[in-house]
Amino acid sequence: MIFKLFLSFIQVGLFSVGGGYAAIPLIQQQIVEVHKLMTMAEFTDLITIAEMTPGPISINSATFVGTRLAGVFGSIVCTLGVILPSFCICLALAYFYYKYRNFSGVQTILSALRPAVVALIASAGISILMLGLFGTDHNNFAFSDIRVIEALLFIGGLFLLRKYKVNAIAIIFGSGVIGTILYAIF
């Protein structure tokens, strides 16, 4: 189990180009789909907690997944697994970037990677949104199954984030408080 987790998070660290949010679909694929170590609902709960805690979401997610599956040692192994490839790659790229950053080929490669990174982030966001609003992944849902309270919290949070640039932490805590009150009433 520990070695499987380490290899899974090595892959996550190796291919999560674009930052922590790009790691979420890779972690989901490894932990939920390939190895079936968690359900999508458990994974979404851990991602939510990882988002609420300070630090990079990919490291937080690896730590939470490792703790959930194999205790403290699992959290250390998963965290090292997700960090190690990034550390080695960043070290090598930093050397070459500062040496060759004025070559046009470097800018072309960076421009070509951006759409793929956006697709990874959008895919993870859509999966989590569909689970939050419909209780299932994006492959099989019906509009009649929509969770009204979650949909209202999503619309309100998105509006506040986009229109008024409210702090994301305030949105998360506010949604938790309002959602708890609404569930207590209804």
Side-chain angles (χ1 to χ4, degrees):
M1 167 80 105
I2 292 293
F3 187 67
K4 185 191 299 184
L5 286 173
F6 183 70
L7 287 181
S8 294
F9 279 95
I10 284 280
Q11 291 176 46
V12 169
L14 196 58
F15 297 109
S16 58
V17 177
Y21 289 104
I24 294 172
L26 300 174
I27 297 171
Q28 175 190 336
Q29 180 190 27
Q30 287 293 316
I31 301 302
V32 177
E33 296 166 13
V34 174
H35 298 296
K36 301 189 184 317
L37 297 171
M38 278 185 188
T39 65
M40 185 62 185
E42 286 177 303
F43 178 74
T44 302
D45 290 344
L46 290 179
I47 294 299
T48 303
I49 294 169
E51 178 66 31
M52 291 172 29
T53 53
I57 191 166
S58 61
I59 295 172
N60 294 348
S61 301
T63 304
F64 280 112
V65 168
T67 302
R68 162 66 178 79
L69 296 175
V72 173
F73 186 63
S75 71
I76 293 168
V77 167
C78 291
T79 303
L80 285 176
V82 81
I83 291 172
L84 192 60
S86 301
F87 175 77
C88 294
I89 292 170
C90 283
L91 191 63
L93 285 179
Y95 171 78
F96 287 110
Y97 177 75
Y98 285 111
K99 189 170 183 175
Y100 300 109
R101 68 181 165 197
N102 294 326
F103 287 137
S104 64
V106 171
Q107 295 305 318
T108 302
I109 291 170
L110 293 175
S111 295
L113 286 174
R114 286 186 192 115
V117 170
V118 171
L120 284 170
I121 294 169
S123 175
I126 290 170
S127 292
I128 292 171
L129 177 66
M130 299 310 284
L131 187 65
L133 295 183
F134 297 101
T136 183
D137 63 11
H138 61 282
N139 292 329
N140 48 4
F141 71 95
F143 283 107
S144 61
D145 295 335
I146 193 163
R147 298 173 171 176
V148 175
I149 291 174
E150 285 86 347
L152 292 173
L153 291 172
F154 169 73
I155 292 169
L158 185 63
F159 177 76
L160 291 172
L161 283 169
R162 300 298 298 178
K163 178 74 175 177
Y164 297 106
K165 311 287 186 211
V166 174
N167 185 303
I169 301 300
I171 298 292
I172 290 170
F173 283 117
S175 293
V177 170
I178 293 170
T180 301
I181 291 169
L182 290 175
Y183 272 113
I185 294 172
F186 299 105

